[in-house]
Amino acid sequence: MEDIEVVKTSAENTRAKILSAFKEHVLETGRQPVSVYKFAQSIQISEEEFYNYFTSFEGVKGGVWEQIFDQTVALMEAQDVYRAYSAKEKLLSFYFTWVEVLKKNRSYLLALYLGQTGYKKAMPDELRNFRNRFKDFANLIILEGKETDQIVERRGLSDKYEDALWVETLFILQFWLKDTSPGFEKTDAAIEKSVALVFDLIGKTAVDSLFDFAKFLYQSK
Amino acid sequence: MADQMKEQEHIPTSKVQRASKFLSAGAKVGGNYIKHYAQKVVNPSLSKDDLHISNAEDIYASLSELKGSALKVAQMMSMDKNVLPRAYQDKFVMAQYSAPPLSYPLVVRTFQKYFGALPETLFDTFTKSAVNAASIGQVHKATKNGKTFAVKIQYPGVAASVSSDLKMVRPFAYRLLNMNSKELDHYMSEVEEKLLEETDYQLEIARSEEISGACSHIPDLAFPKYYPELSSERIITMDWLEGLHLKEWLATNPTQEARNRIGQALWDFYHHQVHHLRQVHADPHPGNFIIQDGIKLGIIDFGCVKVIPGDFYHGYFSLIKQDSLMKEEALNKIFFDLEFISGQDTAAEQTYFKGVFKEMISLLGQPFHAEQFDFANDAYFNQIYSLGDRISKDKMFKNSRQARGSRHGLFINRTYFGLYSLLNQMQANIKTTKPDWLK
């Protein structure tokens, strides 16, 4: 029993070591290492051991993203007031906390992603895990929103809501990467604005009422 | 308007978005004109007042969504009662009270940015929604160790958008204020400078502490204490002043004695600032004052402070001496110094403008000419409005090649107009003091 614990913690340590060494390399050279072999050597593990944790540098980058997501959620949930938030406020809170975590990694992200990730461009593979986690989170919010009538169920469209939120997430990332305003104030405004827009679209709108009314007229003929 | 206000979740920040707001107001105003003239065909007795009312409603609706500096400009226009038709003023005065608030996560974010802590950790309680909206921020109520605080938080991006906002307001102001473009530039650059200062909360705290300290000896005034350790570039924490806003207070039908007392406190406050400190709280709109039980005038918000340069001060205030209207030579010099007239003017223009300015000065100086002045005198204010109206329609002013009046005069005029109109609302009778050198 005890042995397993020890193995587990040392495995976590090695994983964390790889992640931080990778970030440091990108920070210092501006690009990712040339080969897994060289990289493993520089942190004194064997190439073989590296593959126990990640199969490629894409995997490492994905690991960094997962870390960012987990940190964001942990920080966000540490705020007592979070539980009292409405669906919309939860999403706002997520983005605000997220850009705060991103800020700590800005140089790293700029080196790798400036101009790379756009909602128009193909998504880099390493964002996949981040996206899955985000979508789980988004689905929780959407569910809550539907319960409290902030979000309207629309057949054929409702299951696309999570995609809409993901597009927004990529938009915010790209906006933030390019933001040069002091304290990234413009990103703050972009977040408020885009969340308001998304919730206006997926909330009850005039179109819903119009549709409802048309249905009523048709049925009562 | 206020009762159906829904929580606004964003400030339209991009230029395009703001521009579209103005466009929609512009379109509506255009529509109102068409409606007006269509109705006029049917009913020739229709006055322009109705038109001004519907225009003001549409413009106000658009402006109140803009917040930030655009709202500020609306406020300023509503202060300068002499330049705006009455219907516009009433709508804009509403802008001084409330605009819809921003989302709470953004408030939390701002706190984390500047203090690295949540509002709930810094205070025992903190209201989730704003209790009051200031033009470029909103106010939350907080408590700690049994004390109540007002915490003002600035909207993000306001400072960055001041200049582009003002460019956007320009064509509007042009149409509303009937100014020529030179005059407008003159006006706008001074306004821009003041607005930028107003976004600097550190400066505001410094000034608040300085002025409230220097005015602490004046009776019947109350100033909140400021807490620099709980303040930053975007957050100001001060004592919560319990009391009523001017309009609410007037609705309780205070006695004439109480009105006079509050009015006198207000007058003394401005007198001391202008003549002794030479810097003045240049934002005398009703939202910045709170009337407390036991009759004290609470003064909040030192965002807009105008420092009065020495030579401007002497020129400007020597004009209120009654006999100065007689001495042609001295008067000419002052008019030149204050840029009312310039060497570019033809002799005919000089005589014309001098005539108008003399009339204006003798009118505005009236409260100073006696020991006591009754601001309840509506006839006096109508005289001011009609003079303002006449000037704004005057062809000579519209075609004038340059702006008239020193730029420093802008905020000083605004301050005095604001002060007079507050005293008029209070219907107060005031001992109008003068500095010794003018007696």
Side-chain angles (χ1 to χ4, degrees), chain B residues 237-267:
Chain B
T237 302
M238 59 178 128
D239 282 335
W240 179 270
L241 288 190
E242 212 57 69
L244 298 172
H245 277 298
L246 184 63
K247 272 229 171 86
E248 297 165 338
W249 182 66
L250 289 176
T252 65
N253 264 326
T255 61
Q256 186 62 45
E257 196 204 336
R259 291 164 191 269
N260 289 350
R261 213 168 130 189
I262 291 293
Q264 192 65 48
L266 188 66
W267 178 274

Side-chain angles (χ1 to χ4, degrees), chain A residues 23-66:
Chain A
K23 276 206 270 188
E24 210 174 299
H25 188 278
V26 173
L27 284 174
E28 274 168 11
T29 63
R31 58 187 123 85
Q32 63 185 59
V34 258
S35 73
V36 173
Y37 172 78
K38 272 214 96 165
F39 176 68
Q41 214 180 31
S42 74
I43 56 171
Q44 283 137 20
I45 59 171
S46 66
E47 190 173 354
E48 198 187 344
E49 205 184 344
F50 176 88
Y51 292 123
N52 286 339
Y53 302 101
F54 300 101
T55 50
S56 66
F57 285 137
E58 261 58 54
V60 181
K61 286 190 262 180
V64 174
W65 277 108
E66 281 171 38

Side-chain angles (χ1 to χ4, degrees), chain B residues 261-276:
Chain B
R261 213 168 130 189
I262 291 293
Q264 192 65 48
L266 188 66
W267 178 274
D268 292 345
F269 174 55
Y270 276 95
H271 175 86
H272 187 71
Q273 288 179 91
V274 171
H275 300 293
H276 298 281

Side-chain angles (χ1 to χ4, degrees), chain B residues 334-353:
Chain B
I334 293 172
F335 274 168
F336 265 105
D337 288 347
L338 296 182
E339 299 165 38
F340 283 134
I341 49 175
S342 80
Q344 288 179 317
D345 294 325
T346 61
E349 277 176 326
Q350 284 197 9
T351 351
Y352 177 81
F353 286 122

